[in-house]
Amino acid sequence: GQNIDQPTEMTATEGAIVQINCTYQTSGFNGLFWYQQHAGEAPTFLSYNVLDGLEEKGRFSSFLSRSKGYSYLLLKELQMKDSASYLCAVRGTGGSYIPTFGRGTSLIVHP
Amino acid sequence: ETGVTQTPRHLVMGMTNKKSLKCEQHLGHNAMYWYKQSAKKPLELMFVYSLEERVENNSVPSRFSPECPNSSHLFLHLHTLQPEDSALYLCASSQTGTGENTIYFGEGSWLTVV
């Protein structure tokens, strides 16, 4: 089975930096995804990590450590529109191409 | 606007009704999915169709019935649902066989069972 853990809720200030952590225990590992989901909308793909290290995409970066079963999503220069739920999803091995999703972290950005 | 479109966006149905959710993907993908999203719970995979093969979560009740006539269209037929089935139902697609196989979601269908 697969177990994914991320904080339920976080708050941060506009213009600041926030780090959302995700820890996982899976049967093997074959990739980790981060999605953003605004209230009432579809989850949208943010990043994919399969190798250790940091992947940067503009204000968003995602880090992976496979040996520690750990990832984080780093959001810089926070904007009000970044208030959303952030979903971590992990794909194990064993022939399944389908990732398992965590419960998501609700991020609230305030002025 | 996403490459995966769902209709209707909102649906209210009685427990004795029969209704269907429709999904269409315009991304040329070869796999389509139904997910259920309830408050405070992780996304729950219900069904997957990939290369004409169907994979299902055994915990999904038989009152949910999927249909995939081709690689671009997916339906979820609903029959004698219960109030606890009220949730956001998300359709998604992906291209399997590639390294990443990123899943792309539609905007969802909000279902309320009364």
Side-chain angles (χ1 to χ4, degrees), chain A residues 35 37 42 48 91 97 103, chain B residues 37 40 50 99-101 103 106:
Chain A
Y35 286 81
Q37 186 177 23
Y48 171 73
R91 185 167 61 206
Y97 51 86
R103 294 174 181 268
Chain B
Q37 189 173 37
K40 310 295 184 186
S50 174
E100 196 168 303
N101 186 36
I103 292 178

Side-chain angles (χ1 to χ4, degrees), chain A residues 19-20 32-35 45-65 70-76:
Chain A
Q19 178 175 310
I20 302 174
L32 185 144
F33 302 82
W34 283 98
Y35 286 81
F45 169 72
L46 289 178
S47 67
Y48 171 73
N49 294 70
V50 67
L51 299 176
D52 291 350
L54 188 68
E55 296 277 344
E56 297 188 70
K57 281 187 181 180
R59 293 190 299 115
F60 292 6
S61 302
S62 57
F63 171 83
L64 174 67
S65 169
Y70 168 68
S71 172
Y72 66 72
L73 182 68
L74 191 71
L75 290 75
K76 303 176 184 176

Side-chain angles (χ1 to χ4, degrees), chain B residues 23-42:
Chain B
C23 177
E24 182 175 359
Q25 61 99 357
H26 314 277
L27 301 170
H29 288 163
N30 62 5
M32 295 189 76
Y33 308 74
W34 280 115
Y35 281 89
K36 177 183 179 182
Q37 189 173 37
S38 304
K40 310 295 184 186
K41 292 184 179 179

Side-chain angles (χ1 to χ4, degrees), chain A residues 2-56:
Chain A
Q2 298 177 344
N3 185 41
I4 300 170
D5 192 35
Q6 40 180 144
T8 302
E9 188 174 293
M10 300 181 69
T11 59
T13 306
E14 192 175 16
I17 299 173
V18 71
Q19 178 175 310
I20 302 174
N21 295 326
C22 173
T23 57
Y24 62 88
Q25 296 164 338
T26 60
S27 303
F29 177 82
N30 192 21
L32 185 144
F33 302 82
W34 283 98
Y35 286 81
Q36 179 192 60
Q37 186 177 23
H38 286 101
E41 298 182 12
T44 55
F45 169 72
L46 289 178
S47 67
Y48 171 73
N49 294 70
V50 67
L51 299 176
D52 291 350
L54 188 68
E55 296 277 344
E56 297 188 70

Side-chain angles (χ1 to χ4, degrees), chain B residues 2-3 13 15-16 18 21 24 38-39 58 62 68 71 84-85 87-88 94 96 102 107 110-112 114:
Chain B
T2 70
M13 60 186 289
M15 289 188 284
T16 59
K18 287 184 182 181
L21 305 180
E24 182 175 359
S38 304
N58 291 328
S62 59
C68 189
S71 61
E84 60 264 29
D85 297 323
L88 177 66
S94 72
T96 65
T102 300
E107 294 190 341
W110 286 96
L111 173 66
T112 303
V114 298

